[in-house]
Amino acid sequence: MKKMCAFTISSLLLKFSLILCSFTEPSCFWRIQNNEDNDGDLRSDCGFVLITYEGPIEENFYNNVINFRIPARRYEVFLVLLFATDEINRNPYLLPNMSFMFSRIVGMCEDTLGSLERKYTPQSNSWKFINYNCGIQEVCDVQLTGPSWTTSLKLAINSRNPKVFFGPFNPNLSDHDQFPYVYQVATEDTCLSHAMVSLMLHFRWTWIGLVITDDDQGIQLLTDLREEMERHGMCLAFVNMIPETMQIYMTKAKIYDNQIMTSSAKVVIIYGEMNSTLEVSFRRWAYLAAQRIWITTSQWDVITTRKDFSLDFFHGTFTFAHHNVELPKFRHFMQTMNTSKYPVDISQSMLGWNYFNCSISKNSISKIDHFTLNNTLEWLAQHKFDMFLSEEGYNLYNAVYAVAHTYHELILQVESQKMAEPKGLFTDCQQVALLLKTRAFTTPVGELVNMNHRENQCAKYDISIAWNFPQGLGLKVKIGSYFPCFPQSQQLHISEDLEWATGGTHPQIPTSMCSVACIAGFRKIHQKQVTHCCFDCAHCPENEVSNETDMEQCVRCPDDKYANLEQTYCLQRVVSFLAYEDPLGMALGCTALCFSTLTVLILFTFLKYKDTPIVKANNCLLSYILLISLIFCFLCSLLFIGHPNHITCILQQTTFGVFFTVAISTVLAKTITVVMAFKISTPGNRMKGMLTSGAPNLVIPICTLIQLVLCGIWLGTSPPFIDRDIQSEPGKTIVICNKGSIFAFHFTLGYLDSLTLMSFAVAFLARNLPDRFNEAKFLTFSMLVFCSVWITFLPVYHSTKGKVMVVVEVFSILASSAGLLGCIFVPKCYVILVRTDSNFLQKYKDKFHY
């Protein structure tokens, strides 16, 4: 019952996958493995001898050659050899009137049986094939070896027979000084590191593990990968260099296992030879259920023996294989192959190795309903499949043609020289090797093969992914390609039509990063003594933004823009200033105009009542000057309101400084006049002449001239200018007038304060002088108000920003001016307009008329 349940579930899963396959033609391939195969089959290498002679091939020839159970993973090798030799034998232009076939080398593909060797018998003028286990070969036939390069290395030692290696390209076999008779048909992986990095960049994988064999190839890939990854900001989480010796490996196996299982890297690159300690490691990790995304080459496209199942697009093995042209005749050969002539069980080959193109007709989907694991062969026989060879299979196919073209050229040379040697017998190994090395030909599918130049800078890679299914079934899908000779933006192509495989329109792509990506609005902060892929995330500084993930530095917004709340983009700032339309601006402007108007009215009042004692007693000329200067003091505050420009910025400070200097110096002149007026009443005092000549009034032009000099120096060295404050209010650019020289600004205020203190001191001394109309007390109080306003101004001004600073300055100007006006002239106006009875001289009438 349990077996039936297992078969039913497996059947449903397989039918589901087949239905999916039908929507993806022609990039989906089934791979089916017989459960009876074991991992030991993967460790078998194959070696063959290609031979040719006149006459037909004996009917039972291959029954003697293939007289053993072919390992499941080696069915492809025999099928390709049978197909290639059959195709050549049918070609009338290649090796005409000759039979081209292969024999197996001793001990290759299986370990128990011997192999066949041919010897020429002159007496019968025929070839005989005998079984041998040792001995010296009498002819120089070309041998094919693979897929492990170590096998070719062993066969090459002390051997002059030319050998063609059909496994992956290995630089060790390219040393023709050490191995002059070994040639490779595979192209060199010159762009493999670029292709792998491009794939990882596409999926934003930056934290990568690397497992390589501890040999020259592994070290070279490590160097290339590290250079390419650093160029694109990627890092290696760990590097496991697996030793080639099993004894050394076993002492460190647990360390390697722990590194894989505990690392945060979800993507691991595997590069090295199969049939090695690296393969042992890979199978150990599969047994330990290491859920990783494996990136490797096509030779690692194997099925593990675990019975797990996961239709997860991003938990499989990404493989890179050189792009090869499809062999359209291979399928026909498989369908029409004479099994009596070629003793290969096709059903076993399908179950053990084949990759089938899932080009099932959409109209025949209903036939899938009849599919079960028990009738696999019957179901396969009802459908047409395109055989999809592995990279080793294509290499072997090209190797057979390379040898055939070499034999063809040798036979032509023998015929042209009319030599007595039998046709197809080659005894000069050096001549065979030389011709093999220089062969350049085109295969029947149009591919150019040059045996003397196997480094292809424009080698195109096919990118596939494989999953494991229950009962040893596997699914392989081609998802894209990489072509280094295209422009950089077009080199990598990943199919967009993968929704069926990813489980939805928006699959959750797993991440492989040391640190969580910094989202927009954040920037990276790299940790000390740690690789640059490991970092912390921090908010962008004020007014800086980052609109992408993982930005190293935030970008500062221009002065006319500001960062939004999330600091992901810049917004346009609103230009702001103390305008008349603002409530504060309107209030201050109206206040300035009202006080100016009030001051004008007071001036007219004084002019009207100029002959009254109170006006005359307080030096009417100085009163007029003070009132006029106060009018301009009130009006100069209007320069601070409205959009600043270069002229208003200069006038703000100069008019403020000059008019206030005139006002304060006038108050000083008034206090001096009051003091001198009472001093001249003393007998013998000489100040009367100075007073009558108006000497105290000279204080005004002298003090004003000093202020003008100070303002001139200020404007000449560091004049005020238009400035934009972007710090005070978020989202606003406040246009203000910069003082230019803060020192000059404070020096000007200091000069005014010194005049104020001087006036205050003189007025304070004269406050108790006897006179009904003595204004010394009012002058003292006005200076006290003036000093209080500007002493308070300094800390308040420096503690504010933006428009508030302008408001504080305007308010201080208006308050200090109003203080002078109110303290000095309001009491006099009260007497003039309200207390008219007090506006006369009682005891000192006409005593002091000035």
Side-chain angles (χ1 to χ4, degrees), residues 640-656:
F640 293 83
I641 306 174
H643 195 292
N645 55 59
H646 185 67
I647 296 176
T648 57
C649 285
I650 294 177
L651 290 178
Q652 281 178 7
Q653 308 306 323
T654 55
T655 55
F656 160 74

Side-chain angles (χ1 to χ4, degrees), residues 578-595 638 641 807 810 814:
L578 185 60
Y580 290 104
E581 293 80 7
D582 294 340
L584 272 177
M586 184 179 295
L588 292 173
C590 292
T591 303
L593 292 175
C594 290
F595 276 116
L638 299 178
I641 306 174
V807 171
V810 173
L814 295 176

Side-chain angles (χ1 to χ4, degrees), residues 622-827:
L622 292 179
S623 297
Y624 298 156
I625 295 174
L626 180 57
L627 287 170
I628 293 173
S629 64
L630 287 176
I631 292 173
F632 284 105
C633 285
F634 284 122
L635 293 177
C636 79
S637 63
L638 299 178
L639 295 172
F640 293 83
I641 306 174
H643 195 292
N645 55 59
H646 185 67
I647 296 176
T648 57
C649 285
I650 294 177
L651 290 178
Q652 281 178 7
Q653 308 306 323
T654 55
T655 55
F656 160 74
V658 171
F659 290 131
F660 265 84
T661 301
V662 172
I664 301 302
S665 61
T666 303
V667 174
L668 179 60
K670 272 180 164 291
T671 56
I672 293 174
T673 300
V674 172
V675 173
M676 290 180 67
F678 283 95
K679 290 291 184 180
I680 62 174
S681 61
T682 305
N685 197 304
R686 301 178 181 178
M687 291 185 181
K688 186 175 182 179
M690 295 177 62
L691 184 62
T692 55
S693 64
N697 297 345
L698 294 176
V699 173
I700 299 173
I702 293 173
C703 293
T704 304
L705 182 62
I706 294 173
Q707 183 66 278
L708 287 173
V709 172
L710 293 176
C711 289
I713 295 173
W714 183 3
L715 296 178
T717 55
S718 181
F721 58 90
I722 299 175
D723 196 8
R724 286 170 172 79
D725 180 12
I726 59 176
Q727 304 295 333
S728 301
E729 298 184 34
K732 292 184 179 180
T733 299
I734 302 175
V735 184
I736 57 175
C737 288
N738 191 296
K739 299 295 187 289
S741 174
I742 299 297
F743 175 78
F745 173 69
H746 288 90
F747 195 84
T748 301
L749 288 180
Y751 177 69
L752 288 174
D753 289 339
S754 64
L755 291 178
T756 304
L757 291 174
M758 191 181 301
S759 301
F760 174 77
V762 176
F764 183 79
L765 294 175
R767 73 188 187 282
N768 293 322
L769 293 177
D771 187 3
R772 181 178 180 84
F773 301 113
N774 181 12
E775 62 178 352
K777 292 182 180 180
F778 301 121
L779 295 176
T780 303
F781 191 67
S782 67
M783 291 299 98
L784 184 62
V785 173
F786 189 90
C787 287
S788 300
V789 170
W790 288 105
I791 289 174
T792 308
F793 162 79
L794 288 175
V796 175
Y797 180 81
H798 289 290
S799 63
T800 56
K801 294 180 179 180
K803 292 192 296 185
V804 182
M805 293 179 66
V806 182
V807 171
V808 170
E809 192 168 0
V810 173
F811 179 80
S812 299
I813 293 172
L814 295 176
S816 58
S817 302
L820 292 177
L821 181 65
C823 293
I824 297 175
F825 293 101
V826 170

Side-chain angles (χ1 to χ4, degrees), residues 13 15 21 54 89 175 177 185 225 252 400 436 454 468 540 574 592 667 697 735 777 792:
L13 291 174
K15 282 195 286 185
C21 259
E54 288 184 289
N89 288 328
D175 187 356
D177 294 332
V185 72
L225 265 179
K252 300 180 180 181
V400 173
L436 179 62
R454 300 310 297 155
N468 293 327
C540 288
V574 177
V667 174
N697 297 345
V735 184
K777 292 182 180 180
T792 308

Side-chain angles (χ1 to χ4, degrees), residues 164-183:
V164 179
F165 177 63
F166 60 86
F169 186 88
N170 192 291
N172 295 303
L173 300 177
S174 297
D175 187 356
H176 292 296
D177 294 332
Q178 187 176 2
F179 307 110
Y181 297 104
V182 178
Y183 305 95

